[in-house]
Amino acid sequence: MDFGILLLGPVEFRLDGSRDVPGTPKERLTLTALALDAGHPVTLDTLVHRVWDDRPPSKPRASLHAYAARIRRRLRTAACPALLLQGAHAYTLEIDPDLVDWHRYRRLTDEARALSGGGDTAGALARLTEADGLWHGEPLAGLTGLWAEGTRTHFTEKRLAATLTRTAIELGLGRHAELVPDLTALLDAHPTDETIAAQLMTAAYGSGRQGDALRAYDSVRRRLSEELGSDPGEALSRVHRLVLDRAPVAELLPRPAPAQPSPAAPHTLPGHGDLVGRERELGLITNVGTPGDTGTADPSGAGGGAGGGGVIALQTIAGMPGVGKSLLAVHAARLLAGRYPDGQVLLDLRTHAPGRQGLSAQAALFTLLRVFGVAADSIPADPDERTSLWRTLLSNRRAVIVLDDAADAEQVRPLLPGSSPSLVIVTSRRRLTGLPGVRSLFLDILPATDAAALFRRLVGDDRVRDPEDVARIVRLCGHLPLAVELAAGRLASRPSWTTSHLVEKLTRTPGRLAEIRDGFREIARVFEMSYHALTQERRKAFRLLSLHFGATFGPHAAAALTGLSLDATERALDSLLDDHLLSEPAPERFQFHDLVGEYARLLAAMEDSPAERDLAQGRLIHFYLQASRRAARMIHPRRFRYEPTTPSPGGGSAFALPEWRDAQEARDWLARERAGLVAAEQCARTRGRPFEAALLAGALAGFLEEDGHWSEAQRMHGPAARHWSAVGDARGEAAALIDLAGAQSRASRYSRALSSAHRALDLAGATGDPETEAEVRHLLGVIHWHLGRHGTALTFQSATLELRRRTGDAWQIARCRNNMGITHLFIGDYEASEESFHSALKGFRSCGDEREVARVLNNLSDLHIHRGERNIARRVALESLALLERIGSDTERASAQVNLANTMIAESESDEMLALYREALSVFRGVGDLRNSAATLHSIGDALHAVGRTTEAILHYKGAWTAARDIGAAHEESEARRALAALENLG
């Protein structure tokens, strides 16, 4: 059987001459990720990274399992010699690597180099020709994403390296004229590649075209100068001189240098502790050129041309202070020693060394040249000549050089060794951009398990008997390696201390920063150098941003805190990101690391007056108030809300507000900022701003109610009602009580909801406000319906409808009709229910409210289920769910999923049916919706009973009965008791 997996072109299966393309791009990416590590397990985390570039969907593992199932099905259908095996948190593609074209390509090119080195040029050319025939287009064609693009680049550069190897062999065989066109095209594609230029000059000169050879040199020289600010290296300059001297063409070919004594390779790497964790990051540095690598360099030397020069490998490691950049770099350099026999060197550029001045690029070059054996009086003073000497020195050496604690790209650029097989690893607190051939690695804090392992290793197992204490200590250290090391060192140096005593020290007021130290260092000093490198404006922004109420914040909230314009704020955020004093966990969302945030707040307390801090947080509260009220109007333009005539303090201030294209974007913004908004209301309420707190609670009421944040809503609306009562504003108090009763009802606290609603009804009557009265009566109808008092509910709903008809508000009338349709459904009056639902649909559609249309459709589906009209019910449920997938909340989608499941036949669709129920139940439980949880448990019981799983059904009925009884949901309680009784009678 002729079978293969093709990556060197569109990703495909090959089977007996035909080709089969896997379905979706993500499926092809998954196949690629597995095929690159053929025969080896690939963890789910690695697959998630490769398929989604660290921006996965909400349930990436479920998607991966689906892709793997499809790939496995294709392999089985083809009866091919490959298996996809699932292990613990990993998948393995068991296949002969030679059946993957990329692995076959690498084997053939490796054999070719070995044969060439042994003098078998014919064998080498045959292998290279066979390898090149494996390509059938752009590798991984059609696949997008950073990982896919990096892998594609790596494949392409490997092909270029093999092409140069083949060309070098053919030049040695005297095939000059036929190589000129291909080499000309290659140089056009890689205009600064000196190896290609040297080969083209040799081919042109060997064909009798000296002028063309010199023009090729001049073109490359100009491009190097203009684009990289450098001159041609010694190898290309040598070819140029020989062409000018009209030397025999054989002399232009690269020859191994004669054996001669050379100075001992320098080894200046410092001693270092063990590296805990960091396997993925270490692999990215040390496994360059292995399957799955996305780099642009090849430390093995294979990336070089025939002359032995390689593509420069430049690895940068960036991250916040104390995250372990230097340790990782040194550890990687030591592991790579066997592949870089000409030296392993570390140079501390001292950008953040306390009390020491950072090295200039020229001082660093002087030090490096001395380390590699150049006499001091032989080092030129001219900067360009010094750089040229450094590059010449390393042009044929294989060394790994760590440039530690770099300031910026300008400091590093002169230290790069040009065309060389060496590897340079640069560490920096800043993100370095603008360097040729750079591979960037961001180093984050340690995972909790690795941080705990580091602490235990440093302290010793005999001192860490309580794993919970260790977990708390490393959490208080923010999982930052240096902080963990300092805390461990402090405990190790105090034999009488226990881990619980250290926990108590770290949690003691005023904070952790002073306690995370040893005899020589403290964590705050590590942050201090980065802070003092900032401009005055950036320092002020750094301090004020730490006063934000939530864990993350957006640029508009940051602008309010700092008092800067939005443009100036975004520039400040970019600067703090580049210095790794802030992180960006999601696009346009920023956060401090725990310890950096505490350091910034400490600075704010010392350097900014109480009035300045209060003013900054006051601006943030007023921004949140303006933005959330605007969002509420977009999301719920018809929702009942109170607008006081008295403006809020600071309400006239102009803030840069987010621009939302539609209600969904406004809702998404509220969801992202929720923690900050809730904390802002609490801050306003507890720090003498009750008016702003009450307004903010009212603005957030609709969002919090619909998204299931009912506990937070109740904590806000109660104090808001008390505030309006204290200032004698009856309409404001009634509005806050309506919001409170709505949240209480959603949380199944029906007796409290009734009490709040009746107080609001009394206030509405006292003020003679028909709009408030209609809203309260509507709410009372809902609460009584939840309690199973359908007659009372219908009475309130009828009264509400009469009040709404007087105003002629079509949307409010449709809302009433929808609620009445639900009540009629539960009473059993299906005809009245259908009439009400269709009236509501007509009203909402006339108002253009798709979300309410979806809700009515969901209710109408329920009606058809009760009538036994399963097909109609399913069609309507799918229509509702399609709308809610686009514009609904999680709880609304969950309700629609329940109705869709209700339309299914348990005997033939039980798996899908139970999956929908259980997913909805998870949502209801997550938000504390006990009534819907009880109803869904009952539905699961029905489905299990229908397929004969009686014991499981009884457990679910009992759960439904208990939940309904606890909240007083009479309908759900009676249904559950009836189901249990029926099963007992059967037994």
Side-chain angles (χ1 to χ4, degrees):
M1 175 185 294
D2 177 26
F3 174 81
I5 296 176
L6 309 182
L7 307 180
L8 302 179
V11 176
E12 299 170 330
F13 292 109
R14 184 191 69 239
L15 183 63
D16 292 332
S18 64
R19 292 182 177 182
D20 176 26
V21 180
T24 67
K26 295 301 184 190
E27 187 179 334
R28 295 197 291 277
L29 265 175
T30 304
L31 175 63
T32 303
L34 292 165
L36 283 181
D37 285 300
H40 300 282
V42 184
T43 66
L44 292 177
D45 288 342
T46 298
L47 286 171
V48 169
H49 164 70
R50 292 178 179 180
V51 174
W52 287 286
D53 290 325
D54 296 325
R55 292 187 296 275
S58 59
K59 296 180 180 178
R61 294 193 173 201
S63 298
L64 284 176
H65 293 321
Y67 302 149
R70 294 175 202 159
I71 293 170
R72 187 182 292 114
R73 189 159 53 246
R74 288 174 182 272
L75 294 174
R76 286 174 180 167
T77 302
C80 60
L83 293 173
L84 181 55
L85 306 178
Q86 184 173 359
H89 312 296
Y91 280 102
T92 303
L93 182 62
E94 286 291 351
I95 187 174
D96 179 358
D98 232 34
L99 296 179
V100 179
D101 60 358
W102 166 244
H103 293 299
R104 182 173 176 80
Y105 179 81
R106 292 191 63 209
R107 178 182 64 77
L108 289 168
T109 54
D110 288 346
E111 289 177 0
R113 290 189 181 93
L115 291 169
S116 177
D120 184 359
T121 55
L125 282 175
R127 298 293 196 286
L128 290 169
T129 301
E130 182 183 353
D132 202 56
L134 296 173
W135 289 74
H136 55 286
E138 180 187 53
L140 313 186
L143 298 187
T144 59
L146 296 176
W147 182 80
E149 187 58 40
T151 304
R152 183 162 34 247
T153 300
H154 175 66
F155 285 5
T156 304
E157 290 182 346
K158 282 292 189 181
R159 188 184 194 187
L160 174 62
T163 299
L164 295 180
T165 299
R166 188 181 71 243
T167 305
I169 294 172
E170 292 180 327
L171 285 172
L173 296 173
R175 301 173 183 172
H176 300 136
E178 61 230 68
L179 291 174
V180 171
D182 289 343
L183 285 169
T184 301
L186 267 183
L187 190 61
D188 287 342
H190 306 276
T192 59
D193 191 308
E194 297 183 42
T195 302
I196 299 173
Q199 291 187 345
L200 175 57
M201 290 177 68
T202 303
Y205 181 68
S207 305
R209 295 155 60 180
Q210 182 188 33
D212 289 346
L214 293 174
R215 276 190 289 274
Y217 174 83
D218 189 55
S219 173
V220 173
R221 181 187 59 77
R222 284 200 312 272
R223 295 294 288 267
L224 288 170
S225 176
E226 293 169 359
E227 296 181 14
L228 302 180
S230 65
D231 294 322
E234 175 57 30
L236 185 60
S237 298
R238 172 182 166 275
V239 172
H240 179 237
R241 288 195 302 273
L242 291 171
V243 170
L244 287 173
D245 294 342
R246 297 183 179 275
V249 68
E251 293 187 19
L252 274 66
L253 299 175
R255 291 185 297 244
Q260 57 182 353
S262 61
H267 301 279
T268 67
L269 297 179
H272 59 83
D274 291 338
L275 189 69
V276 176
R278 305 301 195 197
E279 290 86 358
R280 185 186 72 84
E281 294 89 345
L282 193 62
L284 288 173
I285 301 173
T286 60
N287 293 334
V288 181
T290 63
D293 170 57
T294 59
T296 59
D298 182 16
S300 67
V311 180
I312 176 175
L314 173 58
Q315 174 73 64
T316 66
I317 306 173
M320 66 179 290
V323 81
K325 302 180 292 294
S326 301
L327 177 61
L328 177 64
V330 171
H331 196 79
R334 197 173 297 280
L335 288 177
L336 290 166
R339 292 158 64 182
Y340 295 92
D342 295 326
Q344 301 88 45
V345 173
L346 179 137
L347 178 64
D348 184 0
L349 298 177
R350 303 197 308 240
T351 299
H352 297 97
R356 303 177 70 188
Q357 187 173 4
L359 284 182
S360 67
Q362 291 309 304
L365 275 173
F366 184 90
T367 303
L368 287 169
L369 288 166
R370 292 288 293 122
V371 166
F372 276 89
V374 179
D377 57 3
S378 299
I379 298 175
D382 180 76
D384 291 338
E385 291 181 12
R386 187 174 292 187
T387 298
S388 179
L389 175 61
W390 169 240
R391 289 175 176 165
T392 300
L393 181 72
L394 285 189
S395 62
N396 60 356
R397 297 196 189 199
R398 301 176 54 75
V400 57
I401 301 156
V402 178
L403 303 176
D404 192 34
D405 196 19
D408 51 36
E410 293 305 314
Q411 182 188 34
V412 171
R413 190 173 287 110
L415 311 182
L416 302 184
S419 181
S420 165
S422 292
L423 168 66
V424 178
I425 304 175
V426 184
T427 76
S428 178
R429 295 187 185 184
R430 291 184 60 82
R431 284 186 287 197
L432 301 182
T433 58
L435 295 173
V438 65
R439 279 168 43 104
S440 298
L441 173 64
F442 168 68
L443 199 61
D444 206 348
I445 58 175
L446 285 171
T449 52
D450 289 345
L454 174 62
F455 184 85
R456 286 194 299 271
R457 182 173 297 184
L458 293 171
V459 172
D461 290 337
D462 58 321
R463 299 286 303 278
V464 288
R465 295 187 178 90
D466 188 340
E468 291 187 6
D469 277 350
V470 175
R472 289 194 66 190
I473 290 167
V474 298
R475 186 169 62 250
L476 288 164
C477 291
H479 301 145
L480 186 67
L482 179 58
V484 172
E485 180 185 335
L486 292 174
R490 197 151 186 228
L491 179 64
S493 66
R494 304 291 200 281
S496 64
W497 282 19
T498 62
T499 51
S500 60
H501 182 71
L502 180 57
V503 169
E504 190 274 330
K505 295 279 286 182
L506 292 174
T507 53
R508 184 183 299 171
T509 304
R512 295 168 283 177
L513 291 177
E515 297 296 338
I516 300 178
R517 67 178 191 273
D518 60 16
F520 306 96
R521 298 169 296 174
E522 59 182 273
I523 196 67
R525 290 284 292 166
V526 177
F527 304 143
E528 185 178 358
M529 292 299 293
S530 290
Y531 172 71
H532 284 297
L534 301 173
T535 65
Q536 285 295 121
E537 183 181 79
R538 301 288 192 267
R539 292 182 198 174
K540 182 81 169 179
F542 175 70
R543 299 194 304 269
L544 294 182
L545 288 172
S546 72
L547 304 178
H548 190 272
F549 305 123
T552 68
F553 52 87
H556 295 85
L561 263 175
T562 61
L564 300 172
S565 69
L566 184 60
D567 285 345
T569 299
E570 289 178 335
R571 286 193 294 272
L573 291 170
D574 284 343
S575 175
L576 294 174
L577 281 172
D578 286 342
D579 285 317
H580 293 288
L581 292 172
L582 275 182
S583 63
E584 191 175 15
E588 302 294 315
R589 301 297 303 169
F590 307 95
Q591 71 177 19
F592 284 99
H593 178 271
D594 283 358
L595 296 178
V596 176
E598 188 166 321
Y599 174 68
R601 286 189 291 275
L602 180 65
L603 290 176
M606 293 189 301
E607 300 187 28
D608 301 306
S609 68
E612 287 177 305
R613 300 196 301 273
D614 187 64
L615 182 61
Q617 289 189 322
R619 286 194 302 266
L620 181 59
I621 289 170
H622 293 138
F623 159 74
Y624 271 147
L625 179 55
Q626 289 184 24
S628 59
R629 292 177 82 177
R630 181 174 163 219
R633 293 187 193 102
M634 288 186 70
I635 300 167
H636 306 108
R638 299 176 177 89
R639 182 183 171 88
F640 175 80
R641 60 172 57 87
Y642 178 55
E643 300 283 356
T645 55
T646 306
S648 65
S653 303
F655 294 103
L657 298 179
E659 294 292 333
W660 305 303
R661 289 173 294 184
D662 52 33
Q664 186 58 46
E665 287 194 357
R667 187 178 289 107
D668 291 343
W669 180 85
L670 288 173
R672 289 192 299 271
E673 295 283 356
R674 179 176 64 85
L677 289 163
V678 171
E681 183 277 336
Q682 183 181 19
C683 177
R685 173 166 31 95
T686 57
R687 298 186 189 176
R689 292 186 169 101
F691 183 55
E692 292 99 314
L695 289 177
L696 193 51
L700 296 174
F703 165 72
L704 294 175
E705 183 179 324
E706 285 188 349
D707 272 39
H709 307 296
W710 304 319
S711 295
E712 292 172 350
Q714 290 174 77
R715 286 196 294 270
M716 288 185 186
H717 299 319
R722 291 191 289 275
H723 164 73
W724 297 122
S725 177
V727 298
D729 190 328
R731 289 197 73 233
E733 183 183 1
L737 287 169
I738 289 170
D739 290 335
L740 177 60
Q744 290 168 334
S745 175
R746 289 288 194 121
S748 305
R749 296 172 177 249
Y750 300 125
S751 60
R752 294 186 182 182
L754 279 175
S755 175
S756 299
H758 279 295
R759 279 162 48 207
L761 187 60
D762 291 341
L763 288 166
T767 57
D769 182 354
E771 184 181 0
T772 302
E773 180 185 351
E775 192 64 28
V776 181
R777 290 189 181 278
H778 168 90
L779 182 57
L780 282 166
V782 172
I783 298 169
H784 282 289
W785 177 83
H786 279 300
L787 290 167
R789 303 168 186 169
H790 298 133
T792 307
L794 199 55
T795 299
F796 276 110
Q797 290 165 355
S798 298
T800 306
L801 181 59
E802 182 58 32
L803 288 168
R804 296 303 190 190
R805 279 174 170 161
R806 293 175 190 173
T807 65
D809 188 326
W811 187 88
Q812 291 288 3
I813 292 171
R815 184 177 175 222
C816 290
R817 297 293 286 173
N818 183 39
N819 279 12
M820 292 177 75
I822 297 171
T823 307
H824 283 305
L825 172 60
F826 275 76
I827 290 173
D829 188 348
Y830 297 158
E831 187 176 343
S833 177
E834 183 175 20
E835 189 277 329
S836 292
F837 285 146
H838 281 292
S839 176
L841 271 179
K842 182 178 179 182
F844 286 134
R845 281 173 172 155
S846 71
C847 297
D849 194 326
E850 285 188 300
R851 193 168 185 179
E852 291 298 334
V853 166
R855 289 170 169 171
V856 180
L857 287 171
N858 195 38
N859 295 330
L860 191 57
S861 171
D862 201 13
L863 169 63
H864 288 298
I865 291 168
H866 279 76
R867 281 179 160 176
E869 300 164 344
R870 189 183 301 274
N871 291 336
I872 299 174
R874 182 174 298 198
R875 176 177 54 78
V876 175
L878 286 169
E879 186 180 353
S880 171
L881 186 57
L883 283 170
L884 292 172
E885 288 285 359
R886 181 165 53 85
I887 57 176
S889 67
D890 289 342
T891 52
E892 289 169 333
R893 284 189 288 271
S895 294
Q897 285 179 314
V898 168
N899 269 0
L900 179 59
N902 289 341
T903 69
M904 295 179 178
I905 301 171
E907 289 78 0
S908 59
E909 300 175 281
S910 62
D911 288 347
E912 186 176 358
M913 190 179 191
L914 287 170
L916 286 169
Y917 282 141
R918 285 168 176 156
E919 186 175 345
L921 180 62
S922 176
V923 172
F924 294 141
R925 283 176 166 169
V927 299
D929 188 339
L930 300 181
R931 194 197 74 81
N932 273 316
S933 294
T936 308
L937 282 168
H938 188 102
S939 296
I940 294 174
D942 286 344
L944 292 169
H945 175 47
V947 294
R949 295 161 64 176
T950 307
T951 302
E952 294 174 75
I954 289 173
L955 290 174
H956 283 82
Y957 286 141
K958 285 182 176 179
W961 175 60
T962 301
R965 181 196 58 194
D966 290 346
I967 61 175
H971 175 78
E972 284 75 18
E973 183 181 359
S974 65
E975 289 289 306
R977 292 183 66 178
R978 187 179 300 114
L980 284 168
L983 286 179
E984 288 171 3
N985 290 334
L986 285 174

